[in-house]
Amino acid sequence: MNIIDELTWRGAINQMTEEENLRKLTDEKKISLYCGVDPTGDSLHIGHLIPFMMLKRFALQGHHPYIVIGGGTGAIGDPSGRKTERKLQTMEKIHDNAEKLKAQFTHLFGDDENITFVNNFDWLSQISLLDFLRDYGKLFPINVMLAKEVVASRLEAGISFTEFTYQILQAVDYEHLYSKYDVQLQVGGADQWGNITGGIDMIRKMHGGNTPVYALTIPLMLKSDGTKFGKTAGGAIWLDPEKTSPFEFYQFWLNQDDADVVKYLKYFTFLSKEEIDALAEAVEKEPEKRLAQRRLAEEVTRFVHSEQALKEAQNITEALYHGSIADLTEHELEQAFGKMPTVDVTDEEKDVVNWLVDSTIYSSKRQAREDITNGAVTINGIKVTSLDEIVRPHKNSNGKYVVVRKGKKKYTLAKISK
């Protein structure tokens, strides 16, 4: 299947220039293409993942992707999707973020010879102001720049000359990559269409009107209810395991709605059409089994984190579902309960009733005794059966934690201070 046909089947194309020419080009040769990301933060989130998974699909068909870390453009700030000016970061912070993003990409895609990492600071920082104005600024009519949606939407509130010129810098990136590496396709989000086509226009002014360069954008990702994809009550779903644990990441995918799961299987996994069609049928005929959601969670967690992280996430999920947390490791306990309600306690061992009240998990001894008598309290995964039981740390926590469950689902993590 031609890569354009595959992306079309996956619903991964929003717009492209000269579809037939691009399809013919990718049939005739293995092309170079690129997508960029600015290091305005120290981690990618799953919204960033979509265009880069497109690059991976090109790579799997033998094409050569370039991932551009925007060490130069990140110093300016892309106005796309913003209503106000971006606060500029120090060059030191941008460099630090760039290194972290490169490490994430290397983990995701491997340090493969078929994928090349570059930083646009390397060429943008070498352009003098006079060269910028004479060689590039002269090719951008102001009326065309003002008509770009990203600029037009900001005119009333105001946009600085700095952010106004971002589209020129992105065009310079494309021209540089075309001239040096024969990059013929830029991939980006739907909001990048104006910037990418601006780059095509500039390249054709510089190299000739028939220069074979193309644009391809992905759709804005929305859930079936029309809300923005990739957000939870706690915020964005990050790829950094310190910001979003593999367990939380796995749960995000596991809890997707039936109306969305097939779309996400097409976007975020490398499963074949036959495999996805079979899972789509399972959604229709046996939705209660949630086979598609489980496969989605498995595939994406394995890809973004690792097989080991996936196994830990599955262990935690199984333990919480059945209430059997006694055998979880210290690391699994931290993932499972790190963002649940917590209390601080001393390492003094006490009988369970006094311990529950002193830790503020219960407000009265009467209620604590009643719940224990009714079998509604478990500690470290084991049901409390005696009012005289002594509370001790979870056996795998190195003396750090006690995990209390009231009823079926209400957990509290007690952190023990020495």
Side-chain angles (χ1 to χ4, degrees), residues 287-306:
E288 71 283 356
K289 292 185 177 181
R290 299 185 70 77
L291 296 177
Q293 282 87 347
R294 287 212 297 272
R295 189 66 184 276
L296 174 67
E298 290 168 5
E299 293 293 323
V300 186
T301 305
R302 183 187 293 112
F303 175 66
V304 170
H305 294 293
S306 66

Side-chain angles (χ1 to χ4, degrees), residues 130-325:
L130 289 178
D131 288 340
F132 175 76
L133 294 174
R134 288 176 60 88
D135 296 343
Y136 304 110
K138 195 72 173 174
L139 303 175
F140 281 79
I142 288 292
N143 60 316
V144 174
M145 295 178 72
L146 289 171
K148 300 289 185 183
E149 182 180 352
V150 64
V151 174
S153 65
R154 287 277 299 276
L155 288 179
E156 185 174 342
I159 184 171
S160 69
F161 179 74
T162 299
E163 291 194 6
F164 180 62
T165 60
Y166 185 94
Q167 58 185 287
I168 302 179
L169 294 183
Q170 188 166 331
V172 173
D173 286 348
Y174 200 171
E175 193 281 328
H176 174 86
L177 294 167
Y178 169 74
S179 296
K180 187 168 183 177
Y181 303 111
D182 193 30
V183 169
Q184 294 180 268
L185 173 63
Q186 184 180 170
V187 171
D191 61 345
Q192 293 298 312
W193 179 254
N195 288 346
I196 299 174
T197 54
I200 290 175
D201 292 342
M202 189 187 83
I203 290 171
R204 289 178 174 170
K205 288 177 181 177
M206 296 175 70
H207 296 274
N210 295 320
T211 305
V213 287
Y214 304 92
L216 192 157
T217 61
I218 61 171
L220 175 65
M221 181 67 78
L222 296 174
K223 294 189 288 187
S224 57
D225 62 5
T227 59
K228 194 170 182 179
F229 164 79
K231 301 283 186 178
T232 68
I237 305 298
W238 300 97
L239 306 194
D240 183 344
E242 297 301 316
K243 292 177 177 288
T244 300
S245 73
F247 166 66
E248 294 173 286
F249 190 83
Y250 178 83
Q251 287 292 316
F252 171 80
W253 298 104
L254 192 63
N255 290 317
Q256 291 304 316
D257 191 273
D258 287 347
D260 293 317
V261 65
V262 175
K263 175 173 68 175
Y264 296 160
L265 283 165
K266 291 179 179 180
Y267 265 79
F268 293 102
T269 78
F270 299 98
L271 298 178
S272 68
K273 184 178 186 303
E274 291 72 23
E275 290 173 298
I276 293 176
D277 286 346
L279 290 167
E281 185 177 353
V283 172
E284 291 293 324
K285 294 182 177 180
E286 301 175 303
E288 71 283 356
K289 292 185 177 181
R290 299 185 70 77
L291 296 177
Q293 282 87 347
R294 287 212 297 272
R295 189 66 184 276
L296 174 67
E298 290 168 5
E299 293 293 323
V300 186
T301 305
R302 183 187 293 112
F303 175 66
V304 170
H305 294 293
S306 66
E307 184 69 37
Q308 178 60 35
L310 169 60
K311 288 180 179 177
E312 288 184 350
Q314 290 173 322
N315 287 344
I316 297 168
T317 300
E318 182 70 13
L320 291 178
Y321 183 78
H322 293 292
S324 54
I325 65 167

